[in-house]
Amino acid sequence: MSIIEISEAIIRHNSNASSYSRGEEYYRRGAIAALKKRGNLIQAEVEGNEITPYQISIRFDAGGITSALCTCAYNYDGWCKHIVATLLACSRQSERVEERPTVEQLLNRLDLLQTQRLVQELVENRPELIEDIDEFVSLIDLPILVTKSPSTRQSKIDTSPFRSHIKRILRDGLRELEYGSEDDPFTDDLLAVIEKAREFTENGDGNNAIAILETITATYAEDWDELLDYGGDSYSIAEPLDSAWTEAILCAEISPAEIVDLQVMLESWEDEISADFAMSLEALRQGWDYEPLQQIMQGDDTIQLWEDERPSFADDLVLIRLQILERQNRYTEYLNLALAEEMTMQYLTQLAALGRVEEAMSAAKILMEKAEEAFALAKILREDGYLTEALEIAQIGINFSDNCLYEFTTWTSDLAQGLEDHTTALNASIIAFKIKPSFRDYRKIEDLASETWLIVKQDLLQRLQETSIWVSQETKVDIFLYEGLIDDAMRTVERDIYYASELLHTVMDAAISHRPDWVIDHARTRAEPIMEQGKADRYHAAVKWLKKAKAGYFQLGQKAEWSAYRSQLEANHGRKRKLMELFKELN
């Protein structure tokens, strides 16, 4: 795949003003080195404030950039300056990008012995890689499915370390509570141990997972009375524990006698630690041989899974079943169950993942009702190279309501822009702006709207002026000042005298020539209380406000009035030496 055309407008849209400006500075001073392309991956090194250069990785497809990562600590608003600098280099000096082979192409040149030698040399230079290699090889060696045996509950692992670990977590947590700690000293560590049990389940070893969970739950129950004395509760771990038990039960081969034993234990623990194990008990009761479940997985769409009222955990139980079916490559049963239980997102994305794209597209147009479902399907289609189909699904999905709609519409706009569908890109960006207005999206809409911008702009500004939804004051001010609507910017910041001073200073700078009287009034309103209350640590802020007042007086041609006002302040506060020293800045 040749490198995509990266317009500077796209770079600007995905970074804030500061990152773009500083990224352009980095580009101009030649901070970008080792600019390479491997398949659909761009890599670069950017010299920054650290001794070693920052590493940049940018992935793309025919629809545009799909991810942009940097090793710097920036994690705020859009792309960092290093990513901006790299993309500017790609945009302005594409001849600098060195075409290099992908990892797959490089490894294809090696035989087994050469590959082994390569891995050994890598580990020799970077010893920490041995842990990743160890984990990878261990996962390969683990069985996908549990093999049935006469004694399936006989675990192969020693659970005593897990018991000791849980005991230590509870003991240390109780000690923290005794010392008066108000933080939760148990949950994170307990959840980490539960996750260890789930790792066995994910590798098809439900029996060992049950052994670990039994140890965790029993040990926790033993210390329950003491936990209760210190105000402890099981709410934070009860749900994850129930979920882990459910998954383990459905992955294990359990005899009828063992089912009874587990049922007794789970019901006993429910009473002992005030937990709800209803889902795992139901999984124990149904197993996989439950007749309605079997009929549904075989494609009988006339069967109801629940004879009586659908329980609150029904969806969670189905999702766990689907995860297991997917791990076991039982795709037909997966699709039948997902469809019957109205798990639309899982049904559609699995069809797409299996390459049954036409079927997924047809089903989506009938079944989709949420933006979340459309977004999940569109992302799968794009990852598999079906960009046109992904955009078609996105065009439908952005008309639904959902919590993910802002992220979805932004994603859709970028994809549509990459595919040169400017109408869809504009429509999606407008929806995104109306959900969560931002100056960056406003500028993006301006670029996309082209000759229709004047009409679109009026609608956006009217919405911004009249909207009752929460919009950041900074966004309003940035847009109003950009459009020269200084009165609107003034009204935005004057409603709250305690609002961020930097934002008010910005508006005052813009309003000096437009409404100097307003600047004087608001600057004095903020400076005078600081001086009158003798807040020495804020005198510098007071003087900063007075500088704005002085600029307002001078703009009005009222130098004499300013001098009189300053003299009055000096007379009233002359004994405040720190303040008077700072007053020299007003000269």
Side-chain angles (χ1 to χ4, degrees):
M1 178 185 291
S2 61
I3 190 168
I4 57 169
E5 291 187 11
I6 304 169
S7 73
E8 294 186 22
I10 290 176
I11 303 172
R12 192 181 298 109
H13 295 159
N14 286 280
S15 56
N16 61 35
S18 175
S19 291
Y20 187 86
S21 175
R22 297 181 71 184
E24 191 162 36
E25 180 185 339
Y26 269 57
Y27 164 74
R28 286 175 178 168
R29 78 181 193 206
I32 302 95
L35 190 56
K36 299 175 182 178
K37 172 184 169 290
R38 298 181 184 276
N40 64 345
L41 171 66
I42 296 171
Q43 294 175 303
E45 293 182 352
V46 178
E47 296 176 0
N49 299 325
E50 300 295 329
I51 297 176
T52 57
Y54 295 108
Q55 303 297 315
I56 313 298
S57 299
I58 298 166
R59 294 192 178 276
F60 63 92
D61 59 20
I65 294 169
T66 57
S67 70
L69 303 174
C70 177
T71 54
C72 75
Y74 181 86
N75 186 23
Y76 177 55
D77 182 22
W79 292 337
C80 70
K81 59 192 176 186
H82 310 109
I83 293 172
V84 169
T86 301
L87 290 173
L88 286 174
C90 292
S91 175
R92 297 174 183 177
Q93 297 177 296
S94 59
E95 71 279 1
R96 285 187 57 192
V97 182
E98 181 185 1
E99 188 86 26
R100 300 296 298 160
T102 64
V103 173
E104 292 82 359
Q105 290 168 339
L106 289 170
L107 292 178
N108 284 340
R109 300 178 187 175
L110 306 179
D111 59 25
L112 176 60
L113 185 60
Q114 291 169 324
T115 303
Q116 289 176 335
R117 188 179 305 149
L118 170 64
V119 173
Q120 290 168 350
E121 289 183 8
L122 287 173
V123 172
E124 186 174 342
N125 293 324
R126 296 177 59 189
E128 69 275 10
L129 290 177
I130 188 64
E131 296 299 329
D132 294 328
I133 295 170
D134 191 3
E135 182 178 353
F136 182 80
V137 173
S138 298
L139 290 174
I140 291 175
D141 290 340
L142 285 169
I144 296 176
L145 297 177
V146 177
T147 304
K148 295 185 179 182
S149 64
S151 183
T152 55
R153 285 294 314 285
Q154 292 180 0
S155 63
K156 300 176 182 178
I157 63 169
D158 178 11
T159 60
S160 57
F162 290 94
R163 176 179 171 80
S164 299
H165 188 38
I166 295 295
K167 282 286 188 183
R168 184 167 59 253
I169 291 170
L170 298 177
R171 184 183 63 247
D172 293 347
L174 284 169
R175 187 178 297 117
E176 287 187 40
L177 293 178
E178 288 173 353
Y179 289 146
S181 173
E182 295 182 359
D183 296 329
D184 179 351
F186 305 111
T187 300
D188 289 345
D189 290 334
L190 290 172
L191 291 178
V193 184
I194 294 171
E195 189 59 31
K196 288 293 182 183
R198 290 198 68 255
E199 290 175 10
F200 279 87
T201 308
E202 288 176 359
N203 289 308
D205 191 351
N207 298 97
N208 275 326
I210 286 177
I212 297 169
L213 290 169
E214 185 177 334
T215 301
I216 294 171
T217 316
T219 307
Y220 186 77
E222 288 173 10
D223 291 343
W224 175 247
D225 289 340
E226 194 169 1
L227 291 172
L228 207 56
D229 289 340
Y230 283 92
D233 62 65
S234 61
Y235 299 133
S236 55
I237 70 160
E239 186 175 338
L241 202 52
D242 188 29
S243 178
W245 267 108
T246 301
E247 190 173 4
I249 287 167
L250 292 175
C251 280
E253 292 292 337
I254 313 171
S255 70
E258 291 164 342
I259 289 174
V260 174
D261 290 342
L262 283 174
Q263 179 180 342
V264 170
M265 283 193 295
L266 288 169
E267 289 175 347
S268 174
W269 288 326
E270 277 190 319
D271 294 334
E272 288 182 47
I273 63 175
S274 301
D276 182 0
F277 291 124
M279 181 166 65
S280 43
L281 284 166
E282 186 63 26
L284 197 60
R285 183 183 73 84
Q286 291 184 359
W288 288 101
D289 296 329
Y290 182 54
E291 186 60 29
L293 174 65
Q294 280 295 317
Q295 290 177 291
I296 287 171
M297 291 195 300
Q298 296 307 313
D300 189 340
D301 57 7
T302 65
I303 300 298
Q304 293 293 321
L305 187 57
W306 305 97
E307 299 174 357
D308 301 317
E309 183 179 352
R310 188 179 179 86
S312 59
F313 58 76
D315 286 351
D316 291 332
L317 179 54
V318 172
L319 287 172
I320 289 172
R321 290 190 186 278
L322 292 176
Q323 290 170 1
I324 295 170
L325 290 171
E326 184 175 26
R327 288 199 294 263
Q328 296 178 351
N329 301 327
R330 296 161 64 183
Y331 298 118
T332 300
E333 292 164 295
Y334 179 108
L335 292 170
N336 288 337
L337 180 58
L339 185 61
E341 287 296 290
E342 298 182 358
M343 295 290 178
T344 302
M345 182 168 69
Q346 287 71 23
Y347 177 73
L348 296 175
T349 54
Q350 189 62 257
L351 280 175
L354 292 171
R356 295 160 62 174
V357 175
E358 290 186 13
E359 194 176 344
M361 296 290 291
S362 299
K365 294 171 185 177
I366 300 171
L367 299 175
M368 281 194 319
E369 295 180 346
K370 300 177 182 176
E372 179 188 22
E373 297 164 350
F375 195 13
L377 176 57
K379 285 191 289 188
I380 289 287
L381 290 169
R382 182 175 185 177
E383 288 168 7
D384 290 345
Y386 297 96
L387 275 66
T388 303
E389 290 81 358
L391 184 58
E392 183 180 347
I393 291 299
Q395 288 171 316
I396 300 171
I398 60 175
N399 295 305
F400 299 138
S401 60
D402 214 327
N403 292 333
C404 70
L405 192 55
Y406 176 78
E407 182 186 359
F408 187 19
T409 50
T410 302
W411 182 91
T412 300
S413 177
D414 289 343
L415 174 60
Q417 195 172 3
L419 295 177
E420 299 186 354
D421 185 344
H422 298 296
T423 301
T424 299
L426 175 60
N427 180 45
S429 288
I430 291 173
I431 296 173
F433 181 85
K434 290 181 177 180
I435 296 169
K436 189 170 71 175
S438 72
F439 182 55
R440 199 166 68 199
D441 284 342
Y442 185 83
R443 292 293 308 276
K444 182 177 183 179
I445 294 170
E446 180 182 13
D447 288 341
L448 291 169
S450 188
E451 66 275 5
T452 64
W453 171 236
L454 290 179
I455 299 173
V456 174
K457 177 174 72 172
Q458 292 306 313
D459 178 51
L460 299 182
L461 289 174
Q462 183 176 355
R463 183 177 182 87
L464 206 60
Q465 290 160 338
E466 298 176 353
T467 184
S468 59
I469 63 170
W470 185 89
V471 179
S472 79
Q473 304 290 66
E474 187 176 0
T475 293
K476 286 187 174 183
V477 166
D478 285 344
I479 294 174
F480 289 147
L481 292 184
Y482 176 74
E483 294 294 353
L485 300 173
I486 297 174
D487 288 327
D488 286 305
M490 289 160 49
R491 281 191 290 271
T492 299
V493 295
E494 70 185 359
R495 292 168 186 164
D496 186 354
I497 65 172
Y498 299 106
Y499 202 77
S501 61
E502 288 304 317
L503 194 61
L504 183 52
H505 278 293
T506 300
V507 176
M508 285 182 172
D509 288 338
I512 285 288
S513 60
H514 177 69
R515 285 282 308 279
D517 58 319
W518 181 88
V519 174
I520 294 170
D521 179 52
H522 283 272
R524 289 180 56 172
T525 297
R526 285 156 177 78
E528 290 170 4
I530 296 173
M531 296 182 290
E532 290 167 1
Q533 296 168 21
K535 296 181 177 180
D537 61 326
R538 297 191 59 209
Y539 283 161
H540 67 285
V543 172
K544 191 174 180 180
W545 291 121
L546 291 176
K547 288 178 182 178
K548 291 292 188 292
K550 175 183 177 181
Y553 278 114
F554 275 47
Q555 180 68 31
L556 288 170
Q558 297 178 353
K559 295 183 180 181
E561 286 81 351
W562 162 250
S563 296
Y565 175 59
R566 174 175 174 169
S567 297
Q568 179 188 343
L569 292 176
E570 290 174 337
N572 293 340
H573 305 289
R575 293 185 178 182
K576 299 169 182 173
R577 294 182 181 179
K578 182 178 179 180
L579 179 61
M580 290 302 101
E581 185 66 25
L582 291 171
F583 258 46
K584 295 177 181 179
E585 297 180 16
L586 297 172
N587 297 330

